[in-house]
Amino acid sequence: MCGIVGRVNFNGHAVSAEILKESAYMIHTRGPDDSGVWSERGCGLAHRRLSILDLTEAGHQPMISSDGRYVCVFNGEIYNFQDLRNELGDNSFSWKGHSDTEVLLEGWARWGTDLLDRIDGMFAFVIWDKYKRKLFAARDRMGEKPFYYHWDGQHFGFSSRPTPLFKLFPGLSVEYDEQALRLFLESGYIPAPYSAHKEIQKLQAAHYLEVDNNGVKIQRYWDLRIIQPAKEWVRRSEEDLLDELDGVLLRSVEKRMVSDVPLGAFLSGGIDSSLMVAMMAKNSSSPIKTFTIGFEEKAYDESSDARVVANYLGTDHYCQHLCVNNLLDLLPNFLNQYDEPFFDSAAFPTMAVSKLARQHVTVSITGDGGDELFGGYHYYQIARLLNPFFSIPTWMRGATSRFVGLIPKHNFKLLSAALKQPNSARAFAFSRSIAKDFRNILSNDVLNRTIGLGDLFEQEVAEFPSGLHASEEGMRLDSLYTLNDDYLQKTDVASMAYSLESRAPILAREVVEWGMRLPVNWKVRGTGNKYLLRKLAYRYIPKEILDRPKRGFGVPIDSWLRGTLNKWAEARINDPSYFEGLPLKQEAVQSLFKLHKSGTRNVHPLLWAVLMLLEFNSRSRSD
């Protein structure tokens, strides 16, 4: 895991090595072990290294290919690098070391873009062709590693985070992207290809780009949207499917345990992390190091569940107990590390557990992806409930919506609003939205000029195979957006803040494609979730240990905003300077805050997103 930065001037002007070095230092926690700068004829690349494989000088970056033609900076891990190395052989050149970066570089020299189809890994990398003066960049299939870039027609720059781009391009405009801000205030994250700033974009997952004098070309190289569910799997036996899933996941876990530095795992006590640790234990001759954050408040503490799993699996378990309010101590670092608006408050405990883990290991395995691929979230049950209503006449669905809306409970009001949506994609967007019925905080002009989350989801569903169940649509939408731009960004930034590499075996290509093919009845069944994955976990850990209420990484933002953070929030919401340059209605935000403080309705998700945007705006304008 590393940090990458670079700039190309296609007008031939030199790139300052000193500015490259300073830009890379801005993300030094992503790579504290080594740094390097390379520049030549208008191209400059910089790298910050977190040494994981080949800790010697042979793994230093930027790295030049054996034929001298290509220069590479790479962030991530190629888990099948040894297989690719064997395939490349050593007849035409001599290997300098045993890093996956060298394999990536020589693989590119041999196969070009065909290399992407051969890679099993997480990555954001750049390769500069010195002969053609052409830059190539690619991002992994599920978006585990970030990639931001700027292009103005003559100059191209990139970075692992957006902030270094302002150092690389001193005159770069800080003007906000209205489309990005709208989607942020509806979803809580900024989906690629947008970023908070109009002149900075994010390369989408499973895409690559090429840039030369003729401009930027972007191409998708893999597409989970079009994978067809295997209808014949409905008739397969449960044991047969479990055996196959077991093998697929075990292979992925085994590959992700290859490391030249100490390795461990986050353990919450839930299905996904517990299964990953159990499979790690099966592949290891020594106890796995596991890490959990516990809280003094029982309502948020799941450390006892994790302890039971750790004891059963015989792990070397570490748990740090905090008061929930101790997480507020992380707020300054949170605001510094998440350098574009980010609302997911689970970042706080993720940062805490990353800080704990880094005291003992350099790499940590996570269970990311299990919910999206195998049906874990309650949203899929909502989609399952609503699915039949989108096959009946509109007038009948409207009548049902009005009837449900008469029930004097807030959840039924929201269910009624979801039924009013024209299709299942928009209903899922409404269910997933943090804004719900509070769209009036944005100016009308912006609302008229931009699209909403429902529009975005509806466009994506049009690319899905026909006949998908609404729950399947939801899982694919979450895999494309919520997982990519929220949960994986949360984990990446939180872990990199403490120079810890995180790896997610469930996001391996083989696992994702298998999960996409698995019919929905093996995921969401009755009132249960993650049916097949849960059954697989029971093979490793007794049912009575795993079947406990799951709290997740809950953070009491709602009560903080009424108590501990009340004055902090009030100062921002009542100060016009925080709203300068933003298309927000200050009076509407103030009304939202009053509604929350009154206890009439809990609107903390949207309120917290607004506060994160106000804080980001204040910091951006003062820098």
Side-chain angles (χ1 to χ4, degrees), residues 54-107:
D54 193 346
L55 310 185
T56 70
E57 181 65 22
H60 178 79
Q61 296 184 49
M63 186 178 289
I64 301 174
S65 60
S66 59
D67 62 6
R69 176 172 177 174
Y70 302 106
V71 188
C72 173
V73 285
F74 167 51
N75 171 29
E77 298 290 344
I78 305 301
Y79 301 115
N80 63 335
F81 79 97
Q82 193 61 56
D83 294 335
L84 295 175
R85 181 183 173 117
N86 293 338
E87 192 174 350
L88 287 165
D90 54 7
N91 295 327
S92 58
F93 63 91
S94 298
W95 295 98
K96 300 172 186 175
H98 64 271
S99 72
D100 55 346
T101 306
E102 189 177 6
V103 172
L104 176 77
L105 188 53
E106 299 301 340

Short mmCIF file of all heavy atoms in Angstrom, two decimals, residues 54-107:
data_model
loop_
_atom_site.label_atom_id
_atom_site.label_comp_id
_atom_site.label_asym_id
_atom_site.label_seq_id
_atom_site.Cartn_x
_atom_site.Cartn_y
_atom_site.Cartn_z
N ASP A 54 9.05 -7.53 -0.69
CA ASP A 54 10.41 -7.17 -1.06
C ASP A 54 10.80 -5.86 -0.37
O ASP A 54 10.67 -4.76 -0.92
CB ASP A 54 10.56 -7.02 -2.58
CG ASP A 54 12.03 -6.96 -2.99
OD1 ASP A 54 12.89 -6.77 -2.10
OD2 ASP A 54 12.32 -7.10 -4.19
N LEU A 55 11.25 -5.97 0.87
CA LEU A 55 11.55 -4.81 1.68
C LEU A 55 12.88 -4.17 1.31
O LEU A 55 13.28 -3.16 1.90
CB LEU A 55 11.58 -5.21 3.16
CG LEU A 55 10.37 -6.01 3.67
CD1 LEU A 55 10.48 -6.23 5.16
CD2 LEU A 55 9.05 -5.32 3.31
N THR A 56 13.55 -4.73 0.30
CA THR A 56 14.87 -4.23 -0.10
C THR A 56 14.73 -3.05 -1.05
O THR A 56 13.65 -2.68 -1.49
CB THR A 56 15.68 -5.33 -0.79
OG1 THR A 56 15.09 -5.60 -2.08
CG2 THR A 56 15.68 -6.62 0.03
N GLU A 57 15.87 -2.50 -1.44
CA GLU A 57 15.94 -1.39 -2.39
C GLU A 57 15.38 -1.80 -3.76
O GLU A 57 14.96 -0.95 -4.56
CB GLU A 57 17.40 -0.93 -2.54
CG GLU A 57 17.63 0.24 -3.48
CD GLU A 57 16.98 1.53 -3.00
OE1 GLU A 57 16.71 1.65 -1.78
OE2 GLU A 57 16.72 2.41 -3.85
N ALA A 58 15.31 -3.11 -4.04
CA ALA A 58 14.80 -3.58 -5.33
C ALA A 58 13.32 -3.27 -5.51
O ALA A 58 12.81 -3.30 -6.62
CB ALA A 58 15.03 -5.09 -5.46
N GLY A 59 12.63 -2.96 -4.40
CA GLY A 59 11.21 -2.61 -4.50
C GLY A 59 10.96 -1.12 -4.59
O GLY A 59 9.80 -0.68 -4.56
N HIS A 60 12.03 -0.33 -4.67
CA HIS A 60 11.92 1.14 -4.69
C HIS A 60 11.16 1.61 -5.93
O HIS A 60 11.29 1.05 -7.02
CB HIS A 60 13.32 1.75 -4.67
CG HIS A 60 13.33 3.25 -4.73
ND1 HIS A 60 13.07 4.04 -3.65
CD2 HIS A 60 13.58 4.09 -5.78
CE1 HIS A 60 13.16 5.32 -4.00
NE2 HIS A 60 13.47 5.38 -5.29
N GLN A 61 10.35 2.66 -5.75
CA GLN A 61 9.62 3.29 -6.85
C GLN A 61 9.88 4.79 -6.84
O GLN A 61 10.20 5.34 -5.79
CB GLN A 61 8.12 3.02 -6.71
CG GLN A 61 7.71 1.56 -6.82
CD GLN A 61 6.20 1.40 -6.76
OE1 GLN A 61 5.44 2.08 -7.45
NE2 GLN A 61 5.75 0.48 -5.91
N PRO A 62 9.68 5.44 -7.99
CA PRO A 62 9.27 4.94 -9.30
C PRO A 62 10.25 3.89 -9.84
O PRO A 62 11.45 3.99 -9.63
CB PRO A 62 9.27 6.20 -10.18
CG PRO A 62 9.03 7.32 -9.21
CD PRO A 62 9.78 6.92 -7.98
N MET A 63 9.68 2.90 -10.54
CA MET A 63 10.46 1.77 -11.03
C MET A 63 10.50 1.80 -12.55
O MET A 63 9.49 2.09 -13.20
CB MET A 63 9.83 0.46 -10.55
CG MET A 63 10.64 -0.78 -10.89
SD MET A 63 9.87 -2.30 -10.22
CE MET A 63 10.17 -2.12 -8.47
N ILE A 64 11.66 1.50 -13.10
CA ILE A 64 11.85 1.52 -14.55
C ILE A 64 11.96 0.08 -15.06
O ILE A 64 12.60 -0.76 -14.44
CB ILE A 64 13.12 2.31 -14.94
CG1 ILE A 64 13.01 3.76 -14.42
CG2 ILE A 64 13.33 2.31 -16.44
CD1 ILE A 64 14.27 4.57 -14.62
N SER A 65 11.29 -0.20 -16.17
CA SER A 65 11.27 -1.56 -16.72
C SER A 65 12.67 -1.96 -17.20
O SER A 65 13.54 -1.12 -17.43
CB SER A 65 10.29 -1.65 -17.89
OG SER A 65 10.64 -0.75 -18.93
N SER A 66 12.86 -3.26 -17.37
CA SER A 66 14.18 -3.78 -17.74
C SER A 66 14.64 -3.26 -19.10
O SER A 66 15.85 -3.15 -19.34
CB SER A 66 14.15 -5.32 -17.75
OG SER A 66 13.17 -5.79 -18.68
N ASP A 67 13.69 -2.94 -19.99
CA ASP A 67 14.08 -2.43 -21.30
C ASP A 67 14.24 -0.90 -21.30
O ASP A 67 14.57 -0.31 -22.33
CB ASP A 67 13.08 -2.85 -22.38
CG ASP A 67 11.67 -2.31 -22.13
OD1 ASP A 67 11.49 -1.51 -21.19
OD2 ASP A 67 10.75 -2.69 -22.88
N GLY A 68 14.00 -0.26 -20.15
CA GLY A 68 14.20 1.18 -20.03
C GLY A 68 13.09 2.04 -20.60
O GLY A 68 13.15 3.27 -20.54
N ARG A 69 12.04 1.39 -21.12
CA ARG A 69 10.98 2.16 -21.83
C ARG A 69 9.91 2.70 -20.88
O ARG A 69 9.39 3.79 -21.10
CB ARG A 69 10.35 1.27 -22.89
CG ARG A 69 9.18 1.95 -23.60
CD ARG A 69 8.69 1.13 -24.77
NE ARG A 69 7.52 1.73 -25.40
CZ ARG A 69 6.94 1.29 -26.52
NH1 ARG A 69 7.44 0.20 -27.12
NH2 ARG A 69 5.89 1.90 -27.02
N TYR A 70 9.54 1.93 -19.85
CA TYR A 70 8.38 2.27 -19.02
C TYR A 70 8.81 2.63 -17.59
O TYR A 70 9.74 2.04 -17.04
CB TYR A 70 7.41 1.09 -18.96
CG TYR A 70 6.92 0.64 -20.31
CD1 TYR A 70 7.39 -0.55 -20.88
CD2 TYR A 70 5.99 1.39 -21.02
CE1 TYR A 70 6.94 -0.97 -22.13
CE2 TYR A 70 5.55 0.97 -22.27
CZ TYR A 70 6.02 -0.21 -22.82
OH TYR A 70 5.58 -0.63 -24.05
N VAL A 71 8.07 3.58 -17.00
CA VAL A 71 8.29 3.98 -15.62
C VAL A 71 6.96 3.84 -14.89
O VAL A 71 5.91 4.26 -15.40
CB VAL A 71 8.80 5.43 -15.51
CG1 VAL A 71 9.20 5.73 -14.06
CG2 VAL A 71 9.96 5.68 -16.46
N CYS A 72 7.00 3.26 -13.69
CA CYS A 72 5.76 2.91 -12.99
C CYS A 72 5.74 3.42 -11.56
O CYS A 72 6.77 3.40 -10.87
CB CYS A 72 5.61 1.38 -12.99
SG CYS A 72 4.23 0.76 -11.99
N VAL A 73 4.57 3.90 -11.12
CA VAL A 73 4.27 4.09 -9.70
C VAL A 73 2.99 3.32 -9.43
O VAL A 73 2.04 3.37 -10.20
CB VAL A 73 4.13 5.58 -9.30
CG1 VAL A 73 5.48 6.23 -9.23
CG2 VAL A 73 3.19 6.34 -10.21
N PHE A 74 2.97 2.61 -8.30
CA PHE A 74 1.93 1.62 -8.05
C PHE A 74 1.49 1.67 -6.59
O PHE A 74 2.31 1.71 -5.68
CB PHE A 74 2.50 0.23 -8.40
CG PHE A 74 1.69 -0.95 -7.93
CD1 PHE A 74 0.33 -1.04 -8.20
CD2 PHE A 74 2.29 -1.98 -7.22
CE1 PHE A 74 -0.41 -2.14 -7.77
CE2 PHE A 74 1.56 -3.08 -6.79
CZ PHE A 74 0.21 -3.16 -7.07
N ASN A 75 0.19 1.70 -6.38
CA ASN A 75 -0.41 1.63 -5.05
C ASN A 75 -1.31 0.42 -5.00
O ASN A 75 -2.28 0.33 -5.77
CB ASN A 75 -1.22 2.91 -4.78
CG ASN A 75 -2.05 2.81 -3.50
OD1 ASN A 75 -1.69 2.11 -2.57
ND2 ASN A 75 -3.18 3.53 -3.48
N GLY A 76 -1.02 -0.54 -4.11
CA GLY A 76 -1.87 -1.72 -3.99
C GLY A 76 -1.09 -3.00 -3.85
O GLY A 76 0.09 -2.99 -3.47
N GLU A 77 -1.75 -4.09 -4.17
CA GLU A 77 -1.13 -5.42 -4.11
C GLU A 77 -1.64 -6.26 -5.27
O GLU A 77 -2.84 -6.25 -5.57
CB GLU A 77 -1.48 -6.13 -2.79
CG GLU A 77 -0.99 -5.44 -1.53
CD GLU A 77 0.51 -5.48 -1.35
OE1 GLU A 77 1.17 -6.30 -2.03
OE2 GLU A 77 1.02 -4.69 -0.55
N ILE A 78 -0.73 -7.00 -5.91
CA ILE A 78 -1.11 -7.98 -6.92
C ILE A 78 -0.93 -9.36 -6.27
O ILE A 78 0.20 -9.80 -6.03
CB ILE A 78 -0.23 -7.88 -8.19
CG1 ILE A 78 -0.27 -6.45 -8.74
CG2 ILE A 78 -0.70 -8.88 -9.23
CD1 ILE A 78 -1.62 -5.94 -9.10
N TYR A 79 -2.05 -10.01 -5.95
CA TYR A 79 -1.98 -11.23 -5.14
C TYR A 79 -1.51 -12.44 -5.93
O TYR A 79 -0.99 -13.39 -5.35
CB TYR A 79 -3.34 -11.50 -4.51
CG TYR A 79 -3.81 -10.36 -3.64
CD1 TYR A 79 -4.94 -9.62 -3.96
CD2 TYR A 79 -3.10 -9.99 -2.50
CE1 TYR A 79 -5.36 -8.56 -3.17
CE2 TYR A 79 -3.50 -8.93 -1.71
CZ TYR A 79 -4.64 -8.22 -2.05
OH TYR A 79 -5.05 -7.16 -1.28
N ASN A 80 -1.70 -12.43 -7.24
CA ASN A 80 -1.23 -13.55 -8.06
C ASN A 80 0.06 -13.20 -8.78
O ASN A 80 0.35 -13.73 -9.86
CB ASN A 80 -2.30 -13.98 -9.07
CG ASN A 80 -2.65 -12.88 -10.08
OD1 ASN A 80 -2.47 -11.69 -9.78
ND2 ASN A 80 -3.16 -13.26 -11.24
N PHE A 81 0.86 -12.32 -8.18
CA PHE A 81 2.08 -11.87 -8.85
C PHE A 81 3.06 -13.00 -9.09
O PHE A 81 3.79 -13.00 -10.08
CB PHE A 81 2.73 -10.72 -8.08
CG PHE A 81 3.53 -11.13 -6.87
CD1 PHE A 81 4.90 -11.28 -6.94
CD2 PHE A 81 2.90 -11.38 -5.66
CE1 PHE A 81 5.64 -11.66 -5.83
CE2 PHE A 81 3.63 -11.74 -4.54
CZ PHE A 81 5.01 -11.90 -4.62
N GLN A 82 3.09 -13.99 -8.18
CA GLN A 82 4.04 -15.08 -8.35
C GLN A 82 3.69 -15.92 -9.57
O GLN A 82 4.58 -16.34 -10.33
CB GLN A 82 4.08 -15.95 -7.10
CG GLN A 82 5.25 -16.92 -7.06
CD GLN A 82 6.60 -16.23 -7.08
OE1 GLN A 82 6.91 -15.40 -6.23
NE2 GLN A 82 7.42 -16.56 -8.07
N ASP A 83 2.39 -16.15 -9.78
CA ASP A 83 1.96 -16.89 -10.98
C ASP A 83 2.32 -16.11 -12.24
O ASP A 83 2.78 -16.70 -13.23
CB ASP A 83 0.44 -17.13 -10.95
CG ASP A 83 0.02 -18.05 -9.81
OD1 ASP A 83 0.86 -18.86 -9.37
OD2 ASP A 83 -1.14 -17.97 -9.38
N LEU A 84 2.10 -14.80 -12.23
CA LEU A 84 2.43 -13.98 -13.39
C LEU A 84 3.94 -13.94 -13.62
O LEU A 84 4.41 -13.96 -14.76
CB LEU A 84 1.90 -12.56 -13.20
CG LEU A 84 0.37 -12.41 -13.15
CD1 LEU A 84 -0.01 -10.97 -12.85
CD2 LEU A 84 -0.26 -12.85 -14.46
N ARG A 85 4.68 -13.91 -12.54
CA ARG A 85 6.15 -13.91 -12.65
C ARG A 85 6.63 -15.20 -13.32
O ARG A 85 7.51 -15.16 -14.20
CB ARG A 85 6.77 -13.75 -11.27
CG ARG A 85 8.29 -13.72 -11.26
CD ARG A 85 8.83 -13.63 -9.86
NE ARG A 85 10.27 -13.75 -9.82
CZ ARG A 85 11.12 -12.81 -9.41
NH1 ARG A 85 10.64 -11.65 -8.99
NH2 ARG A 85 12.42 -13.00 -9.41
N ASN A 86 6.04 -16.33 -12.91
CA ASN A 86 6.42 -17.60 -13.51
C ASN A 86 6.06 -17.63 -15.00
O ASN A 86 6.81 -18.19 -15.82
CB ASN A 86 5.72 -18.75 -12.79
CG ASN A 86 6.22 -18.92 -11.37
OD1 ASN A 86 7.32 -18.50 -11.02
ND2 ASN A 86 5.40 -19.53 -10.52
N GLU A 87 4.92 -17.02 -15.33
CA GLU A 87 4.50 -17.00 -16.73
C GLU A 87 5.42 -16.11 -17.57
O GLU A 87 5.71 -16.42 -18.73
CB GLU A 87 3.06 -16.47 -16.81
CG GLU A 87 2.42 -16.66 -18.17
CD GLU A 87 0.94 -16.27 -18.19
OE1 GLU A 87 0.37 -16.03 -17.10
OE2 GLU A 87 0.38 -16.20 -19.29
N LEU A 88 5.88 -15.02 -16.98
CA LEU A 88 6.79 -14.12 -17.69
C LEU A 88 8.16 -14.74 -17.90
O LEU A 88 8.85 -14.46 -18.89
CB LEU A 88 6.93 -12.80 -16.92
CG LEU A 88 5.74 -11.85 -16.97
CD1 LEU A 88 5.87 -10.79 -15.89
CD2 LEU A 88 5.63 -11.21 -18.35
N GLY A 89 8.57 -15.59 -16.95
CA GLY A 89 9.86 -16.25 -17.04
C GLY A 89 11.01 -15.28 -16.85
O GLY A 89 10.84 -14.15 -16.42
N ASP A 90 12.20 -15.69 -17.22
CA ASP A 90 13.38 -14.82 -17.07
C ASP A 90 14.35 -15.02 -18.24
O ASP A 90 15.55 -14.81 -18.11
CB ASP A 90 14.09 -15.11 -15.75
CG ASP A 90 14.45 -16.58 -15.58
OD1 ASP A 90 14.26 -17.36 -16.52
OD2 ASP A 90 14.92 -16.93 -14.48
N ASN A 91 13.79 -15.40 -19.41
CA ASN A 91 14.66 -15.65 -20.56
C ASN A 91 15.16 -14.36 -21.21
O ASN A 91 16.29 -14.29 -21.69
CB ASN A 91 13.92 -16.48 -21.62
CG ASN A 91 13.59 -17.88 -21.10
OD1 ASN A 91 14.34 -18.43 -20.31
ND2 ASN A 91 12.46 -18.43 -21.53
N SER A 92 14.29 -13.34 -21.24
CA SER A 92 14.65 -12.12 -21.96
C SER A 92 15.20 -11.02 -21.06
O SER A 92 15.67 -10.00 -21.55
CB SER A 92 13.43 -11.59 -22.72
OG SER A 92 12.35 -11.34 -21.82
N PHE A 93 15.11 -11.18 -19.75
CA PHE A 93 15.62 -10.17 -18.83
C PHE A 93 15.88 -10.83 -17.48
O PHE A 93 15.45 -11.94 -17.22
CB PHE A 93 14.63 -9.01 -18.69
CG PHE A 93 13.31 -9.42 -18.09
CD1 PHE A 93 13.10 -9.37 -16.71
CD2 PHE A 93 12.28 -9.87 -18.90
CE1 PHE A 93 11.88 -9.75 -16.17
CE2 PHE A 93 11.06 -10.25 -18.36
CZ PHE A 93 10.86 -10.20 -16.99
N SER A 94 16.59 -10.13 -16.62
CA SER A 94 16.89 -10.63 -15.28
C SER A 94 16.08 -9.84 -14.26
O SER A 94 16.04 -8.61 -14.30
CB SER A 94 18.39 -10.47 -14.97
OG SER A 94 19.16 -11.23 -15.86
N TRP A 95 15.42 -10.55 -13.35
CA TRP A 95 14.65 -9.90 -12.30
C TRP A 95 15.58 -9.21 -11.31
O TRP A 95 16.62 -9.74 -10.93
CB TRP A 95 13.79 -10.92 -11.55
CG TRP A 95 12.73 -11.57 -12.38
CD1 TRP A 95 12.79 -12.78 -12.99
CD2 TRP A 95 11.45 -11.02 -12.70
NE1 TRP A 95 11.62 -13.04 -13.68
CE2 TRP A 95 10.77 -11.96 -13.51
CE3 TRP A 95 10.81 -9.81 -12.39
CZ2 TRP A 95 9.50 -11.74 -14.01
CZ3 TRP A 95 9.54 -9.59 -12.89
CH2 TRP A 95 8.89 -10.54 -13.69
N LYS A 96 15.19 -8.01 -10.90
CA LYS A 96 15.99 -7.25 -9.93
C LYS A 96 15.65 -7.62 -8.50
O LYS A 96 16.48 -7.49 -7.60
CB LYS A 96 15.78 -5.75 -10.15
CG LYS A 96 16.16 -5.26 -11.53
CD LYS A 96 15.73 -3.80 -11.73
CE LYS A 96 15.98 -3.34 -13.15
NZ LYS A 96 15.46 -1.97 -13.38
N GLY A 97 14.40 -8.01 -8.25
CA GLY A 97 13.95 -8.33 -6.91
C GLY A 97 12.77 -9.28 -6.96
O GLY A 97 12.61 -10.01 -7.96
N HIS A 98 11.90 -9.27 -5.93
CA HIS A 98 10.74 -10.16 -5.97
C HIS A 98 9.46 -9.41 -5.59
O HIS A 98 8.55 -9.96 -4.98
CB HIS A 98 10.96 -11.36 -5.04
CG HIS A 98 11.08 -11.02 -3.58
ND1 HIS A 98 12.28 -10.72 -2.98
CD2 HIS A 98 10.14 -10.93 -2.59
CE1 HIS A 98 12.09 -10.48 -1.70
NE2 HIS A 98 10.79 -10.59 -1.43
N SER A 99 9.36 -8.13 -5.97
CA SER A 99 8.17 -7.35 -5.67
C SER A 99 7.09 -7.55 -6.72
O SER A 99 7.37 -7.90 -7.87
CB SER A 99 8.52 -5.85 -5.59
OG SER A 99 8.79 -5.34 -6.88
N ASP A 100 5.84 -7.30 -6.32
CA ASP A 100 4.75 -7.38 -7.28
C ASP A 100 4.77 -6.20 -8.24
O ASP A 100 4.25 -6.28 -9.35
CB ASP A 100 3.39 -7.48 -6.58
CG ASP A 100 3.14 -6.36 -5.58
OD1 ASP A 100 4.08 -5.65 -5.22
OD2 ASP A 100 1.97 -6.22 -5.14
N THR A 101 5.41 -5.08 -7.84
CA THR A 101 5.52 -3.93 -8.73
C THR A 101 6.35 -4.28 -9.96
O THR A 101 5.99 -3.91 -11.10
CB THR A 101 6.19 -2.75 -8.01
OG1 THR A 101 5.48 -2.48 -6.80
CG2 THR A 101 6.20 -1.51 -8.88
N GLU A 102 7.44 -4.99 -9.76
CA GLU A 102 8.28 -5.38 -10.89
C GLU A 102 7.53 -6.32 -11.82
O GLU A 102 7.64 -6.20 -13.05
CB GLU A 102 9.57 -6.04 -10.39
CG GLU A 102 10.59 -6.28 -11.50
CD GLU A 102 11.89 -6.86 -10.99
OE1 GLU A 102 11.98 -7.18 -9.79
OE2 GLU A 102 12.83 -6.98 -11.80
N VAL A 103 6.73 -7.21 -11.27
CA VAL A 103 5.93 -8.12 -12.09
C VAL A 103 4.89 -7.33 -12.89
O VAL A 103 4.67 -7.57 -14.07
CB VAL A 103 5.23 -9.18 -11.20
CG1 VAL A 103 4.23 -10.00 -12.02
CG2 VAL A 103 6.27 -10.09 -10.56
N LEU A 104 4.25 -6.36 -12.22
CA LEU A 104 3.29 -5.51 -12.90
C LEU A 104 3.93 -4.78 -14.08
O LEU A 104 3.38 -4.75 -15.19
CB LEU A 104 2.72 -4.50 -11.91
CG LEU A 104 1.75 -3.45 -12.45
CD1 LEU A 104 0.39 -4.06 -12.68
CD2 LEU A 104 1.64 -2.27 -11.49
N LEU A 105 5.10 -4.22 -13.85
CA LEU A 105 5.79 -3.44 -14.87
C LEU A 105 6.23 -4.30 -16.05
O LEU A 105 6.00 -3.96 -17.22
CB LEU A 105 6.98 -2.74 -14.23
CG LEU A 105 7.76 -1.72 -15.05
CD1 LEU A 105 6.84 -0.65 -15.63
CD2 LEU A 105 8.83 -1.06 -14.17
N GLU A 106 6.82 -5.46 -15.76
CA GLU A 106 7.26 -6.34 -16.85
C GLU A 106 6.06 -7.00 -17.55
O GLU A 106 6.12 -7.28 -18.75
CB GLU A 106 8.22 -7.41 -16.31
CG GLU A 106 9.49 -6.85 -15.69
CD GLU A 106 10.33 -6.01 -16.66
OE1 GLU A 106 10.15 -6.17 -17.90
OE2 GLU A 106 11.16 -5.21 -16.18
N GLY A 107 4.99 -7.21 -16.78
CA GLY A 107 3.77 -7.73 -17.40
C GLY A 107 3.18 -6.73 -18.38
O GLY A 107 2.67 -7.10 -19.45
#
